[in-house]
Amino acid sequence: MSSTSSLERRLRRRSVHRSRSTAVAITLIVTALVAAWIGVEAVLKAIGQPPLLADPQTIVDAALKPDAAFTTIAEVIAGVLVIVGIILIVLAVGPGRQPRSVVDHDRGAVVIDTRILASTAANAAALAAGVPESNTSASARGHRTEVRVVPLSGIPVDTHVVQQAVQDRLGRLGGKHGTHVKVHVEQKGTLA
């Protein structure tokens, strides 16, 4: 039973978070190509054949005594490497979270888009506030949900009733949905 639960946890995580395998694969391929090129050039030099692209020793000599052309090429390559490095750091450090959420179910986990959670919250808020659904909007991120209600003119909206209705509706989905609900009621209403 424990292996099933650990498998289910891994599947949930993979469904909710972005994979970084593409960036890792590209980095490894580029590194392997550079290493293969250096290896080929070294073997060609050892057997006395002309270099494929450039002799590594010639590149080292040029780096030690650079001329204007070599300096320009080195600056361009360094600039490209800095940009690639920044992109890889952002990919590595970034959260990588997809706009999805896990809902517990008796047969396993169900992964749904957070827009569905937001739509569910907006619907519950509209019913509790007694306004058309077009007068409500919501956003869901993780376990936090924010709801905005535009009341009908002259009809007050009880923030606590709306918040409780949204919490109850999202709470039926299981997990921690609906635990952090924030309701904003606009000051100006619309005509019915």
Side-chain angles (χ1 to χ4, degrees):
M1 191 73 171
S2 136
S3 65
T4 304
S5 63
S6 68
L7 175 65
E8 189 173 311
R9 277 195 308 271
R10 279 189 306 181
L11 289 173
R12 286 182 188 189
R13 178 156 173 74
R14 281 188 155 187
S15 298
V16 175
H17 292 81
R18 284 188 188 98
S19 171
R20 293 183 176 106
S21 61
T22 304
V24 170
I26 291 171
T27 304
L28 289 175
I29 288 170
V30 169
T31 303
L33 288 175
V34 169
W37 170 72
I38 291 171
V40 167
E41 294 295 358
V43 168
L44 289 175
K45 172 98 173 156
I47 62 173
Q49 295 294 317
L52 187 63
L53 296 175
D55 179 23
Q57 186 61 45
T58 307
I59 294 174
V60 170
D61 292 341
L64 294 175
K65 296 177 188 173
D67 60 354
F70 183 83
T71 304
T72 304
I73 292 171
E75 289 171 351
V76 170
I77 291 172
V80 169
L81 289 176
V82 166
I83 291 170
V84 169
I86 290 171
I87 291 170
L88 290 175
I89 288 172
V90 167
L91 286 174
V93 174
R97 186 163 174 83
Q98 298 274 33
R100 298 178 186 153
S101 191
V102 177
V103 176
D104 291 327
H105 192 269
D106 54 341
R107 292 187 182 182
V110 177
V111 179
I112 60 172
D113 194 294
T114 54
R115 290 177 290 191
I116 294 172
L117 289 173
S119 177
T120 301
N123 177 270
L127 289 174
V131 299
E133 198 168 335
S134 60
N135 285 27
T136 61
S137 63
S139 65
R141 184 167 179 89
H143 298 299
R144 298 187 185 281
T145 306
E146 290 191 25
V147 179
R148 190 177 134 272
V149 179
V150 179
L152 297 175
S153 291
I155 302 173
V157 173
D158 187 351
T159 305
H160 298 294
V161 170
V162 173
Q163 182 176 3
Q164 188 61 45
V166 172
Q167 285 176 332
D168 289 345
R169 176 81 64 88
L170 293 179
R172 285 187 236 153
L173 296 175
K176 296 181 179 178
H177 300 293
T179 55
H180 301 289
V181 175
K182 193 171 197 177
V183 177
H184 303 283
V185 177
E186 296 292 322
Q187 296 297 322
K188 293 184 179 180
T190 61
L191 297 176

